[in-house]
Amino acid sequence: MSAPGAGNNSGIQAGGDIRIDGSAVAVNRSTATNESAAEPDREAAIAELRAAARLLLEQLRANQDQYEDGDDLVHAAEQVEAELTRDEPRRNTLLRWLGFIGPGVAATAAVAGDVAAIQDSVTSLF
């Protein structure tokens, strides 16, 4: 991947069905911008972020025994999902839990990419 600001950056393929390209988040075949332009766009982006967090939780639950701290990682992903159900999710809370998950899944490139993509979306949205 190119360094931030490089002219040939083609976005982030986070693995699975998640992709971030510039200010757009794509989960499965749906896409939503994560710019702070219009409220409906923000709501759509948050809905996509919720879907990405749900997929992450499913991946962690399915592969829980492959991680040294599998139980704790699942718990952290559950906290991310719960925080995203709030009317106004708290950015720092989300980033704290995602920051815990990231190093724990670093050996699994696809899951680590998913975590990084979700962190980027949280930073952009909140």
Side-chain angles (χ1 to χ4, degrees):
M1 181 185 329
S2 300
N8 61 355
N9 190 344
S10 60
I12 301 169
Q13 180 66 43
D17 294 332
I18 301 171
R19 179 174 175 77
I20 294 182
D21 190 3
S23 63
V25 177
V27 178
N28 294 325
R29 299 185 199 279
S30 302
T31 302
T33 61
N34 58 7
E35 298 171 352
S36 57
E39 190 62 28
D41 288 341
R42 178 179 163 86
E43 289 302 316
I46 291 172
E48 293 293 333
L49 186 55
R50 287 177 178 142
R54 195 169 24 258
L55 289 172
L56 173 63
L57 179 55
E58 289 172 10
Q59 288 176 342
L60 288 174
R61 281 181 177 152
N63 300 300
Q64 184 172 342
D65 58 339
Q66 296 179 16
Y67 300 106
E68 182 178 335
D69 297 321
D71 292 340
D72 293 333
L73 293 171
V74 168
H75 174 73
E78 289 169 343
Q79 296 305 308
V80 169
E81 186 177 51
E83 186 64 31
L84 287 170
T85 64
R86 296 172 51 100
D87 288 337
E88 287 295 322
R90 297 169 294 187
R91 177 181 191 257
N92 289 338
T93 300
L94 289 166
L95 291 175
R96 183 176 59 241
W97 286 113
L98 291 166
F100 173 78
I101 296 170
V105 298
T108 309
V111 177
D114 291 348
V115 173
I118 293 169
Q119 284 175 312
D120 289 344
S121 294
V122 167
T123 300
S124 297
L125 284 170
F126 304 105

